[in-house]
Amino acid sequence: MLDTTFDALPTDGALRRHAMERSGEGQAGSGRADSGRAGAVGFRPLYRQVYDTLLKRLADAVWQPGQVLPSEGQLAAELGVSQGTVRKALDALTADSLLVRRQGRGTFVADHDDKQSVFRFLKLRPDGDGTGMPTSRVTGIAEATASADERGRLDLVRSARVVRIERVRAVDATLCVVETISVPAGLFPGIAQIELPNTLYSLYATRYGITIATANERLKAVAIGPREAELLQVPAGTPALEIDRVAIDLEERPVEWRLSTCLTQDIHYLSVLR
Amino acid sequence: MLDTTFDALPTDGALRRHAMERSGEGQAGSGRADSGRAGAVGFRPLYRQVYDTLLKRLADAVWQPGQVLPSEGQLAAELGVSQGTVRKALDALTADSLLVRRQGRGTFVADHDDKQSVFRFLKLRPDGDGTGMPTSRVTGIAEATASADERGRLDLVRSARVVRIERVRAVDATLCVVETISVPAGLFPGIAQIELPNTLYSLYATRYGITIATANERLKAVAIGPREAELLQVPAGTPALEIDRVAIDLEERPVEWRLSTCLTQDIHYLSVLR
DNA sequence: TAGTGGTCTAGACCACTCC
DNA sequence: GAGTGGTCTAGACCACTAA
């Protein structure tokens, strides 16, 4: 069914799970390949399969960030489902921040680089007014064998190699963050030799085809260490906010570990609970 | 239209905005009362009006937490719209955590007291395993004239009265939080005389008809003050996570200010970014 | 077995954008 | 005016729950 490759216009009914099995003619072709409706096992709705199909194409970078997708009608015809079903899948992908829909224009691949998306994974905001736009300066970059922490966070084997990036960041020109970023060297070949942009996640997407889908952050209050104190020019022991982030990609792999130490004299971490 | 009171079965077509105006017969009755479709002003979809109508009923506590709503079909008939439109409104309310839908059973008003909802506004988790269930002990409660901070957070006038609650909390039996909660005295009459439950928000809902819809939290790392240090039995100056929360109700009023000071030796604040 | 929410379809029309 | 996403409807059937 939807798990297989697609012809331009598959045989009518190839995906009509409910409709076909109704009259007992549902066994033709790949009629009940993957959803296992016959037994008591999980039922997978059609729009979910469309979702997974489109997700895979996004993961495989079939469409680039910022690019427009085919229209709802075209996708529906190609996949052999109704427009409403495609719409439900597209809406879900939009809710997951992977697509952006614009009435009258089309459906686009979300771009980590645009103004709105910068703050999707950056929750540090200035206390006062200010835009909160971040800047960065790399203070060190090196490849090494993964530490125990890195292996645990990134789900790596014992001898795996990682690239470590240390940088300091400012919010509205106020220097306040030092962070160490670890990524598996195998996933990001040559990253140690590149001029790194301010928004790493757009680099991951465009150069390495790795799209960050979610990130889990664990926050603690700590006394700042000597290295961070020196870089941020404050006394060692100053209270600081430590953000321990693991970023997950579309294939649900942990692909980046980031440990940020933040001074919160003039900024705060914003969390909106719904 | 939907802004007025409802008859059991309103005149057919009362809400058919698109359908009626199509053939030029759309002026009958309250045909274009509130959406102003004629001009260039905002277009309000039907399901949005249904959403607002149901939201108002929830705010007015027409249905109590945990209670079941009428079925989709009944609501559709009552409001004079299609079942699909009602469904879209119900889905949106569910996405906003105000309703819970259970296939085969019905649609229920979300209950702040049940197991899942406890953690909607509590992001502190144990570092290790543990369930993270919180407990509380009130250490002080008093009514007073609102301070400048309280007036700012709760949008109060100069002479307004507030009730302040101080309590300590434990996560998995580890004492780690002291918090000061301020609420407008006028909104919560008699709250200073009640035995306070562990989950305050269910009390707000059931006793005062105030449903918390969202909360904005600002996090900082601070050196713990003497009062908090004494209550938590740690040295003054220990780094602590300070959570400054303003809770907003269904009518978008700020109704509670809560300042929590948390020791993060054995717990962390969990933030999931999507 | 009846009733509920969940899925899927088909078709019409509306709002918006761009040529 | 053509093309896109957005809304709304009507009706069928599926999955789940409880009596």
Side-chain angles (χ1 to χ4, degrees), chain B residues 11-256:
Chain B
T11 307
D12 183 67
L15 297 171
R16 310 234 183 144
R17 295 155 69 264
H18 290 84
M20 291 193 66
E21 295 172 19
R22 177 193 317 163
S23 50
E25 341 174 312
Q27 303 307 318
S30 53
R32 57 172 74 196
D34 71 329
S35 73
R37 259 187 81 243
V41 295
F43 159 68
R44 261 293 262 322
L46 237 197
Y47 76 87
R48 240 299 171 187
Q49 300 177 52
V50 174
Y51 177 99
D52 291 340
T53 300
L54 298 177
L55 183 65
K56 179 144 197 341
R57 294 191 189 180
L58 289 169
D60 294 347
V62 173
W63 303 296
Q64 290 294 311
Q67 235 185 298
V68 65
L69 268 63
S71 73
E72 292 182 352
Q74 288 169 8
L75 286 171
E78 182 202 353
L79 304 180
V81 301
S82 80
Q83 186 173 339
T85 300
V86 168
R87 167 181 298 277
K88 199 159 179 181
L90 291 175
D91 284 343
L93 288 162
T94 301
D96 291 346
S97 303
L98 300 176
L99 298 177
V100 176
R101 316 196 71 184
R102 274 181 276 214
Q103 191 176 27
R105 298 190 53 194
T107 302
F108 301 81
V109 181
D111 191 342
H112 273 149
D113 224 1
D114 62 21
K115 299 297 176 283
Q116 307 106 295
S117 301
V118 170
F119 295 110
R120 177 147 83 100
F121 293 109
L122 177 64
K123 295 303 174 185
L124 296 175
R125 296 281 190 286
D127 286 343
D129 293 332
T131 62
M133 280 306 295
T135 52
S136 310
R137 181 170 61 83
V138 173
T139 53
I141 186 164
E143 188 174 325
T145 301
S147 68
D149 274 346
E150 287 165 334
R151 293 202 306 274
R153 298 299 201 293
L154 297 174
D155 201 14
L156 298 175
V157 298
R158 186 154 190 84
S159 61
R161 303 285 289 174
V162 295
V163 173
R164 292 193 194 119
I165 303 164
E166 183 191 69
R167 62 177 184 175
V168 293
R169 308 198 82 183
V171 171
D172 279 341
T174 305
L175 187 67
C176 52
V177 180
V178 48
E179 59 190 6
T180 304
I181 300 166
S182 301
V183 294
L187 284 179
F188 299 92
I191 196 173
Q193 282 75 49
I194 304 174
E195 178 79 13
L196 295 177
N198 188 22
T199 57
L200 281 180
Y201 291 178
S202 62
L203 173 75
Y204 296 171
T206 55
R207 187 178 173 104
Y208 298 103
I210 292 178
T211 300
I212 304 300
T214 67
N216 295 314
E217 297 196 322
R218 294 169 160 229
L219 280 62
K220 280 175 178 274
V222 299
I224 197 170
R227 169 73 178 157
E228 290 79 16
E230 182 191 335
L231 284 167
L232 296 177
Q233 300 173 345
V234 294
T238 302
L241 182 65
E242 181 183 86
I243 307 176
D244 183 323
R245 174 198 292 179
V246 175
I248 313 290
D249 79 348
L250 283 179
E251 296 168 18
E252 302 192 38
R253 300 175 297 182
V255 294
E256 181 204 66

Side-chain angles (χ1 to χ4, degrees), chain A residues 16-18 45-47 81-82 85 88 103-105:
Chain A
R16 311 233 181 147
R17 297 152 71 264
H18 289 84
L46 236 195
Y47 76 87
V81 300
S82 80
T85 300
K88 198 159 181 182
Q103 190 175 25
R105 299 191 51 195

Side-chain angles (χ1 to χ4, degrees), chain A residues 6-261:
Chain A
F6 290 91
D7 308 310
L9 283 169
T11 307
D12 184 66
L15 297 171
R16 311 233 181 147
R17 297 152 71 264
H18 289 84
M20 293 193 65
E21 296 172 16
R22 178 191 317 161
S23 49
E25 339 173 314
Q27 303 306 319
S30 54
R32 58 173 72 196
D34 72 328
S35 73
R37 260 187 80 244
V41 294
F43 158 69
R44 257 299 259 321
L46 236 195
Y47 76 87
R48 239 301 170 185
Q49 299 178 52
V50 175
Y51 177 99
D52 290 341
T53 300
L54 298 177
L55 184 64
K56 179 142 196 344
R57 294 191 189 179
L58 289 169
D60 293 347
V62 173
W63 303 297
Q64 290 294 309
Q67 235 185 298
V68 65
L69 267 63
S71 74
E72 293 181 352
Q74 287 168 10
L75 286 171
E78 182 201 352
L79 303 181
V81 300
S82 80
Q83 186 173 338
T85 300
V86 169
R87 166 181 298 277
K88 198 159 181 182
L90 291 174
D91 284 344
L93 288 162
T94 301
D96 291 346
S97 304
L98 300 175
L99 298 177
V100 176
R101 316 196 71 185
R102 273 181 276 215
Q103 190 175 25
R105 299 191 51 195
T107 303
F108 301 81
V109 181
D111 191 343
H112 272 149
D113 223 2
D114 62 19
K115 297 299 174 283
Q116 307 105 292
S117 301
V118 171
F119 296 110
R120 186 168 143 220
F121 292 110
L122 176 65
K123 296 303 174 186
L124 295 175
R125 296 282 190 284
D127 287 344
D129 292 331
T131 63
M133 280 308 293
T135 53
S136 310
R137 181 169 62 84
V138 173
T139 54
I141 185 164
E143 187 174 326
T145 301
S147 69
D149 273 347
E150 286 164 335
R151 292 202 306 274
R153 299 299 204 290
L154 297 173
D155 201 14
L156 298 174
V157 298
R158 186 154 190 83
S159 62
R161 304 284 289 174
V162 297
V163 172
R164 293 193 194 119
I165 303 163
E166 183 191 69
R167 62 177 184 175
V168 292
R169 308 198 82 181
V171 171
D172 278 342
T174 305
L175 187 67
C176 51
V177 180
V178 47
E179 60 190 5
T180 304
I181 300 167
S182 301
V183 294
L187 283 180
F188 300 91
I191 196 172
Q193 282 75 49
I194 305 173
E195 178 80 13
L196 295 176
N198 188 23
T199 58
L200 281 181
Y201 291 177
S202 62
L203 173 75
Y204 296 171
T206 55
R207 185 176 174 105
Y208 298 103
I210 291 178
T211 300
I212 304 299
T214 68
N216 295 313
E217 297 195 323
R218 295 170 159 228
L219 281 63
K220 280 175 178 273
V222 300
I224 198 170
R227 170 73 178 157
E228 290 79 14
E230 184 192 335
L231 284 167
L232 296 177
Q233 301 174 345
V234 294
T238 303
L241 183 64
E242 181 183 85
I243 306 177
D244 183 323
R245 173 198 292 179
V246 175
I248 313 290
D249 80 346
L250 284 180
E251 296 167 18
E252 302 192 38
R253 300 175 296 183
V255 294
E256 183 205 65
W257 176 38
R258 182 181 296 211
L259 193 64
S260 306
T261 303

